Amino acid sequence: MPEREVDLTRVRPYADHLGDGLVQMSFTLPVPYSLAARRAALELASAMGFEEPEVVHYEQLTPGYTYFVMYVRCAATVDFASLQEEGFDIEYLSEDEIETFAAEHVRRPIVVVGASTGSDTHSVGIDAMLNLKGYHGHHGLEGYRAFETYNLGSQVPNAALLAKAIEVGADAILVSQTVTQQNLHVQNLTELVEMVEAEGRRREVILACGGPRVTNELAKELGYDAGFSKGTYPHHLASFIVRELAARAAVPR
Ligand code: B12
């Protein structure tokens, strides 16, 4: 039995009992391991707005750097109820449902071309989405009957990705961006949109991107149809693509 009902308009972290606001956090400070370092961590946690900070563990990482684990209390709350409005959460289709949906609504192979672009060498994200092996026990799009996939790998120039997409008549171009230093991902992602637009193909192709610091909001701001972040599984992407294609087919251009 719950101790009491959760007030979904005022939610805060929970550890020992409902509403206690307890948070465990960890960070490293570039200061030597010392009592002064411990004091600095406590002051920093207070400056972050946390109450009753406690250092439960601290150790030297390497000379001049100290790692901390802290318990703190969070007084702030969040209004979860208002975030549950209709349309906010997406219902994903399962792999089988995607196959059935595609067979009924698209009725032809869906061609997707993907890569990790620019100088970005991180290929695990795009492989997770596209390769048969997939991610956490979920097949990548290559494992679906509905999809014909081309994974170009990493460090692929935008021009090469676009050229392949045109060559194979891609329904969707999929981009992975992991390195975000100096907003490199924004430049790379923007360049691709501009190139697709310059080719006059923006309306006919789905553009989706993903990466640890990509959000759906950022992606849309940059001119993509959707953006996917940490925690994405291939069937999330596939659900989006089949629904988007079906919706586009239903609207005459
Ligand atoms: C493995 C790794 C490498 C490997 C990459 C090997 C490879 N073949 O991919 C190697 C050693 C080559 C490497 C190199 C570098 N790396 Co590195 N690397 C990592 C590491 C440890 C894991 C990344 C990873 O594979 N994650 C697992 C995948 C599954 O997660 P993901 O990419 O987020 O993908 C998920 C979602 O984002 C989403 N998704 C991703 N792409 C797409 C695409 C689409 C279409 C969709 C729908 C979804 C989607 O779905 C995926 C599954 O849920 C991270 C640290 C970390 N723990 O995250 C650093 C990290 C990403 N690397 C980093 C850096 C700085 C580098 C280097 C610049 C280091 C250097 N100074 O040389 C170089 C980059 C070189 C370059 N030119 O790109 C930084 C990036 C910092 C930043 N914000 O820019 C990180 C965060 C490490 C750190 N803390 O500093 N790296």
Side-chain angles (χ1 to χ4, degrees):
M1 276 285 285
E3 297 157 60
R4 60 187 157 91
E5 213 163 297
V6 180
D7 176 358
L8 292 179
T9 63
R10 293 172 51 81
V11 172
R12 61 160 63 100
Y14 160 41
D16 182 38
H17 60 270
L18 198 58
D20 62 18
L22 283 184
V23 173
Q24 177 180 321
M25 66 175 178
S26 61
F27 55 80
T28 300
L29 291 181
V31 299
Y33 172 72
S34 58
L35 284 175
R38 186 176 176 282
R39 182 75 231 159
L42 290 167
E43 284 191 15
L44 189 59
S46 298
M48 288 176 192
F50 291 117
E51 297 173 353
E52 301 170 35
E54 257 180 82
V55 173
V56 288
H57 176 75
Y58 71 124
E59 66 183 53
Q60 174 175 292
L61 273 187
T62 193
Y65 291 82
T66 308
Y67 172 72
F68 299 89
V69 178
M70 300 189 66
Y71 290 163
V72 292
R73 195 179 290 277
C74 168
T77 62
V78 65
D79 181 356
F80 182 72
S82 71
L83 296 174
Q84 287 181 303
E85 288 159 11
E86 211 181 316
F88 191 91
D89 265 320
I90 300 166
E91 275 187 31
Y92 298 112
L93 303 172
S94 69
E95 198 172 325
D96 285 345
E97 288 167 341
I98 289 162
E99 298 285 23
T100 307
F101 187 94
E104 282 172 8
H105 297 274
V106 187
R107 295 190 290 271
R108 60 174 176 78
I110 301 167
V111 182
V112 300
V113 177
S116 173
T117 55
S119 57
D120 202 325
T121 194
H122 297 86
S123 57
V124 183
I126 195 71
D127 289 349
M129 292 302 113
L130 295 185
N131 291 2
L132 175 62
K133 186 174 162 201
Y135 189 56
H136 277 194
H138 299 266
H139 284 138
L141 270 47
E142 199 181 39
Y144 289 67
R145 287 188 307 282
F147 288 95
E148 181 180 319
T149 60
Y150 297 87
N151 181 354
L152 307 194
S154 61
Q155 295 195 320
V156 176
N158 280 323
L161 178 61
L162 179 55
K164 187 70 183 179
I166 293 170
E167 180 199 321
V168 299
D171 294 295
I173 302 181
L174 309 172
V175 187
S176 183
Q177 287 283 280
T178 305
V179 176
T180 56
Q181 286 163 336
Q182 275 112 47
N183 273 341
L184 193 59
H185 63 312
V186 173
Q187 293 163 33
N188 266 338
L189 291 170
T190 306
E191 185 190 68
L192 179 67
V193 174
E194 287 169 356
M195 291 170 84
V196 175
E197 278 170 357
E199 284 288 334
R201 291 178 186 260
R202 183 61 193 95
R203 280 166 63 90
E204 68 202 46
V205 74
I206 295 173
L207 277 183
C209 57
R213 299 220 173 124
V214 171
T215 60
N216 195 33
E217 291 74 22
L218 173 72
K220 288 189 162 164
E221 217 174 279
L222 300 180
Y224 285 72
D225 295 303
F228 297 83
S229 198
K230 281 272 183 208
T232 302
Y233 290 105
H235 68 280
H236 297 169
L237 172 65
S239 298
F240 169 73
I241 294 175
V242 291
R243 282 175 172 150
E244 182 71 17
L245 273 182
R248 288 180 183 204
V251 179
R253 295 193 172 221

